[in-house]
Amino acid sequence: MNYIEYFLYCFAVVIMIATPGPVMLLVASAGLKGGYRRALQTIFGTNLASLVLIAASIAILKGFLTISEQWFNAVKVLGCLYIVYLGIQILREVWQGDVGTASASGTVANGGFKQGFLVAISNPKDIIFFASFFPQFVQITPNLNLSLGILTVSWIALDFATLSCVYLMFNRFSRSKMYQHLLACCGVILIVVALYGIYATLF
């Protein structure tokens, strides 16, 4: 196995997941409002979405699936719009003072398995990663299927570990006066990232 390429892949995955983006911020928001159980449910949802995107990437790589650029861009824009919607919902909760009861109210920005899946499956950053970056590392072993298996399992493990660390870091602020401000920042960054994604896709 080409260990240099493999460790470069692992490093890139951790950096991409830890970089502020829709998935990381949703996990942080869910953890702040619902504790580790809610954050864990959200992470499981994002992991399933990653598996779906990996499967699509493998299908494209093996020639079983082709996607036109127009459809690809349309998916990215719709995903960005959905993420903008989530950011607005988080900000509304903060402004209305509902953050303390968010986990009981079932709002759309509350995280959970379904929310984690929808955000991750529509996240332009993840779509681009699995469509363009992931296939570059399929030569880490001479056997394509073995390489794909190693890359997939590594992604899931690193995704789970990194997002869990994100939750633990944000959880330290959950009882502080910074709580509402931190949650509001999550909402603002979600909106900014999504709007930039729309701009980059269309222009």
Side-chain angles (χ1 to χ4, degrees), residues 34-83:
Y36 185 60
R37 181 178 179 182
R38 197 63 176 174
L40 194 61
Q41 292 172 347
T42 309
I43 292 171
F44 283 144
T46 66
N47 272 315
L48 178 59
S50 295
L51 286 174
V52 172
L53 291 174
I54 287 171
S57 177
I58 292 172
I60 293 171
L61 190 64
K62 292 191 171 186
F64 299 140
L65 178 68
T66 57
I67 300 177
S68 70
E69 185 177 354
Q70 290 79 8
W71 277 106
F72 187 63
N73 288 338
V75 169
K76 287 194 289 182
V77 170
L78 288 174
C80 287
L81 290 174
Y82 179 68
I83 292 164

Side-chain angles (χ1 to χ4, degrees), residues 26-203:
L26 181 67
V27 170
S29 172
L32 285 172
K33 291 187 280 185
Y36 185 60
R37 181 178 179 182
R38 197 63 176 174
L40 194 61
Q41 292 172 347
T42 309
I43 292 171
F44 283 144
T46 66
N47 272 315
L48 178 59
S50 295
L51 286 174
V52 172
L53 291 174
I54 287 171
S57 177
I58 292 172
I60 293 171
L61 190 64
K62 292 191 171 186
F64 299 140
L65 178 68
T66 57
I67 300 177
S68 70
E69 185 177 354
Q70 290 79 8
W71 277 106
F72 187 63
N73 288 338
V75 169
K76 287 194 289 182
V77 170
L78 288 174
C80 287
L81 290 174
Y82 179 68
I83 292 164
V84 167
Y85 175 64
L86 285 181
I88 292 172
Q89 294 303 312
I90 291 175
L91 291 177
R92 284 183 60 190
E93 289 176 7
V94 172
W95 289 334
Q96 294 172 2
D98 293 335
V99 291
T101 59
S103 59
S105 64
T107 58
V108 296
N110 192 35
F113 182 86
K114 181 180 177 181
Q115 199 72 62
F117 177 83
L118 290 174
V119 169
I121 202 72
S122 63
N123 181 13
K125 186 172 69 172
D126 283 6
I127 293 171
I128 293 170
F129 178 90
F130 288 116
S132 305
F133 189 73
F134 182 80
Q136 295 179 31
F137 292 91
V138 296
Q139 302 301 324
I140 60 169
T141 73
N143 185 301
L144 176 61
N145 291 327
L146 177 60
S147 295
L148 292 172
I150 292 172
L151 295 176
T152 301
V153 171
S154 298
W155 167 272
I156 297 301
L158 292 169
D159 188 34
F160 182 85
T162 305
L163 290 177
S164 293
C165 289
V166 166
Y167 160 74
L168 292 173
M169 181 186 70
F170 273 79
N171 188 53
R172 295 184 60 184
F173 298 99
S174 62
R175 299 181 184 277
S176 72
K177 295 179 180 179
M178 295 176 59
Y179 173 66
Q180 287 192 340
H181 299 295
L182 194 59
L183 206 56
C185 284
C186 288
V188 170
I189 295 173
L190 278 176
I191 294 171
V192 171
V193 168
L195 291 176
Y196 176 76
I198 292 173
Y199 174 81
T201 300
L202 298 179
F203 303 101

